[in-house]
Amino acid sequence: MNIGSFGIQSKDKNSEKIYDLSSIVNDLESKIKLQTIGITNGSFEYDQRSNVIHYCRGDFNSELISKDVLTYVLNLDLVLFFNSNDEKYDLIPSGVFSDCIALELPIIALRNAKLEFFLKNMAP
């Protein structure tokens, strides 16, 4: 099973929580592949755990994301959203969220205002 986050990896979005998750699923490592797909804004550090795979390494200010990244995104079985109730991101449009809807990718998320707003007002 491929589980991961995609888009800009950052401290503001709690992207580092993938490392906390990696220590929990360590025993299931052969069945669960944790991954990040995207570049950092400078506040996320790669390679903090050996069982997390990183695609599209680089810094937001100096790197471009390859079109091949879509291949990795389409291989995800579950998408992780670590954003919490941070007013900075509450109702800011999210390209990743929109992509998940368009690609019909299931999301596992911390409770946050953006997802609650969508589920109450937009979902059928």
Side-chain angles (χ1 to χ4, degrees), residues 4-55:
S5 60
F6 68 97
I8 302 298
Q9 306 297 310
S10 74
K11 188 169 186 74
D12 289 337
K13 296 179 183 180
N14 296 313
S15 299
E16 75 282 352
K17 290 196 179 289
I18 198 161
Y19 298 125
D20 297 336
L21 181 60
S22 74
S23 62
I24 294 169
V25 300
N26 196 35
D27 295 335
L28 305 171
E29 187 175 331
S30 61
K31 295 181 182 181
I32 296 176
K33 293 181 182 175
L34 294 175
Q35 51 203 272
T36 66
I37 305 166
I39 56 180
T40 179
N41 70 351
S43 64
F44 174 81
E45 293 185 36
Y46 298 107
D47 300 323
Q48 299 301 300
R49 302 272 183 181
S50 61
N51 62 337
V52 177
I53 302 165
H54 302 286
Y55 298 104

Side-chain angles (χ1 to χ4, degrees), residues 2-120:
N2 294 316
I3 301 174
S5 60
F6 68 97
I8 302 298
Q9 306 297 310
S10 74
K11 188 169 186 74
D12 289 337
K13 296 179 183 180
N14 296 313
S15 299
E16 75 282 352
K17 290 196 179 289
I18 198 161
Y19 298 125
D20 297 336
L21 181 60
S22 74
S23 62
I24 294 169
V25 300
N26 196 35
D27 295 335
L28 305 171
E29 187 175 331
S30 61
K31 295 181 182 181
I32 296 176
K33 293 181 182 175
L34 294 175
Q35 51 203 272
T36 66
I37 305 166
I39 56 180
T40 179
N41 70 351
S43 64
F44 174 81
E45 293 185 36
Y46 298 107
D47 300 323
Q48 299 301 300
R49 302 272 183 181
S50 61
N51 62 337
V52 177
I53 302 165
H54 302 286
Y55 298 104
C56 306
R57 295 169 181 267
D59 188 278
F60 179 70
N61 296 318
S62 62
E63 301 289 327
L64 297 176
I65 299 174
S66 166
K67 290 181 181 181
D68 297 338
V69 73
L70 186 57
T71 304
Y72 300 118
V73 172
L74 292 173
N75 285 330
L76 289 173
D77 296 303
L78 295 169
V79 176
L80 300 169
F81 271 53
F82 294 116
N83 297 41
S84 60
N85 278 327
D86 180 354
E87 291 178 16
K88 181 176 180 179
Y89 284 102
D90 278 353
L91 296 176
I92 294 174
S94 170
V96 172
F97 184 65
S98 299
D99 289 343
C100 288
I101 293 169
L103 298 171
E104 298 181 358
L105 293 170
I107 299 170
I108 295 177
L110 296 176
R111 186 175 186 159
N112 68 61
K114 184 184 305 190
L115 292 175
E116 285 184 20
F117 179 84
F118 175 80
L119 293 172
K120 288 178 183 174

